[in-house]
Amino acid sequence: MKRWAGQVCLFFAFSLAGTSVISARLVSGKLGTFTIASVSLFFALLFLLPACGKKLMESLCEMSAKDVFSLVLQAIFGIFLFRMFLLYGMLFTSSMEAGILTGATPAFTALFAMALLKEPFSGKKLAGIAGTVGGILMIQGLLNAGNSFSLLHLGGNMLVLCAAASESTFNIFSRVFAVKTVSVQKKAIHPLVQTALVSAIAFILCLIPTLFEAPVRRLSEIGLGEWLSLLWYGLFVTALAFVFWYAGIKRCGAFTAAAFSGMMPFVSMLLSVIILGEQVGWQQWMGGVLVISGMILIGNGSIPAKVSKLQEVKSIKEQVVK
């Protein structure tokens, strides 16, 4: 069971993250971008801070300046920039397109893993990545003749792609932080604590721009459905998803994370059909099957964790020396 623990955590992390597009759609246009982010992070912290207990203060006392800087980078790319690009992008594109375009995350993460972490890979892993990316293309309909990105939504689509790139950068920073902790034989930060700290930093970053969006007036005008969406965004998309993510990335390499990130567009597509009533064709369903198949290949083709960590530690140390 331990062998699959990391992959199970990543599965739940990205499945919950896939609901972010639907949650954002229900409040997009009714609240400011940073207001949505701030309120959802506030709900997340209401759950996380009491759950951390004494572990939070103990971790803060043991952290170095480099650790704090790493967490700040994770907050900037994983929450602040990701949500800013996604929420602004959804003002100009559909929830279906936005969800599907987050499928660029596996490709970005895989490229970063090869270029920056020098992470080892196997034939099954590459086949899994290819299957995931191919599934994303099928879901989008790019493999069908005559289909392409809608020019009317090009600006929104580009913003969502920037969100995917931010998410991938966050994935790599998280993995680097986990590997560095192992390399210096430091006690790992508990996933709950790490999620709370990153959420708190992102909350502070979002507060100032929120003040320019008339948050009090606009929040007073929304209904129960919008408040429930914000609550879901905070508790599940932020708190639980990030806890699962940090628990998983400590056990799995960046290639594995790249494959499982394909769950984001797949879940988004399913929820767009079930909740928003959007229509999809057979190629989208086949794409979903490819995404799942790619994740299975990645799991079966995983290089032993010790080998992967040793390689990443060596790569990170070489970069520090340079």
Side-chain angles (χ1 to χ4, degrees):
M1 183 63 185
K2 287 185 177 181
R3 177 188 174 188
W4 299 99
Q7 296 171 2
V8 170
C9 287
L10 291 178
F11 173 83
F12 282 113
F14 285 112
S15 295
L16 288 170
T19 68
S20 62
V21 173
I22 307 301
S23 301
R25 170 58 68 193
L26 295 176
V27 290
S28 182
K30 300 176 182 179
L31 296 172
T33 296
F34 293 102
T35 302
I36 296 172
S38 296
V39 175
S40 61
L41 287 167
F42 175 75
F43 284 137
L45 290 170
L46 284 180
F47 165 77
L48 290 167
L49 293 178
C52 289
K54 295 181 180 179
K55 294 179 182 178
L56 181 60
M57 292 306 300
E58 291 174 357
S59 297
L60 285 173
C61 293
E62 295 173 357
M63 289 173 60
S64 65
K66 289 184 178 180
D67 293 334
V68 174
F69 180 67
S70 178
L71 293 178
V72 170
L73 290 178
Q74 291 174 46
I76 290 173
F77 286 95
I79 298 181
F80 183 80
L81 289 179
F82 174 76
R83 295 190 180 185
M84 182 187 74
F85 286 130
L86 178 64
L87 292 169
Y88 273 125
M90 290 193 64
L91 296 175
F92 307 103
T93 190
S94 68
S95 58
M96 177 69 76
E97 279 185 291
I100 288 167
L101 285 169
T102 59
T105 301
F108 284 132
T109 304
L111 288 173
F112 293 161
M114 288 187 290
L116 301 177
L117 299 183
K118 304 293 189 298
E119 186 171 309
F121 55 88
S122 64
K124 283 187 178 181
K125 272 194 172 185
L126 289 178
I129 293 292
T132 302
V133 174
I136 300 306
L137 294 178
M138 285 196 71
I139 291 173
Q140 176 64 35
L142 293 181
L143 299 184
N144 293 340
N147 285 334
S148 60
F149 290 118
S150 171
L151 292 177
L152 294 175
H153 302 306
L154 182 60
N157 288 343
M158 292 304 297
L159 287 172
V160 176
L161 283 174
C162 288
S166 297
E167 175 71 14
S168 298
T169 305
F170 162 74
N171 293 346
I172 297 301
F173 279 139
S174 300
R175 182 58 182 167
V176 169
F177 183 77
V179 173
K180 277 187 175 181
T181 301
V182 173
S183 68
V184 297
Q185 298 181 338
K186 286 181 61 177
K187 182 181 178 181
I189 299 178
H190 192 279
L192 266 174
V193 174
Q194 194 166 355
T195 302
L197 291 173
V198 170
S199 298
I201 294 169
F203 178 68
I204 294 170
L205 291 173
C206 292
L207 274 181
I208 295 177
T210 296
L211 297 177
F212 296 93
E213 297 178 339
V216 176
R217 177 181 61 81
R218 298 179 74 173
L219 284 169
S220 66
E221 295 173 351
I222 62 175
L224 178 61
E226 288 78 11
W227 278 107
L228 290 176
S229 295
L230 291 170
L231 184 63
W232 178 275
Y233 212 156
L235 293 184
F236 295 94
V237 178
T238 302
L240 285 181
F242 273 77
V243 169
F244 278 125
W245 161 256
Y246 284 123
I249 199 61
K250 290 175 182 178
R251 297 173 171 87
C252 300
F255 266 106
T256 303
F260 275 90
S261 61
M263 282 303 298
M264 289 177 63
F266 182 59
V267 170
S268 177
M269 182 189 73
L270 287 177
L271 294 180
S272 294
V273 173
I274 296 170
I275 297 177
L276 301 181
E278 297 186 5
Q279 301 296 318
V280 297
W282 66 268
Q283 69 271 22
Q284 278 78 30
W285 292 114
M286 287 298 296
V289 172
L290 271 178
V291 168
I292 300 298
S293 300
M295 291 190 301
I296 293 173
L297 281 173
I298 288 291
N300 290 334
S302 293
I303 291 174
K306 289 183 179 179
V307 176
S308 178
K309 283 185 178 180
L310 286 173
Q311 182 67 28
E312 287 179 290
V313 169
K314 182 180 178 182
S315 174
I316 291 171
K317 284 184 176 180
E318 288 176 351
Q319 293 176 30
V320 171
V321 171
K322 290 179 181 179

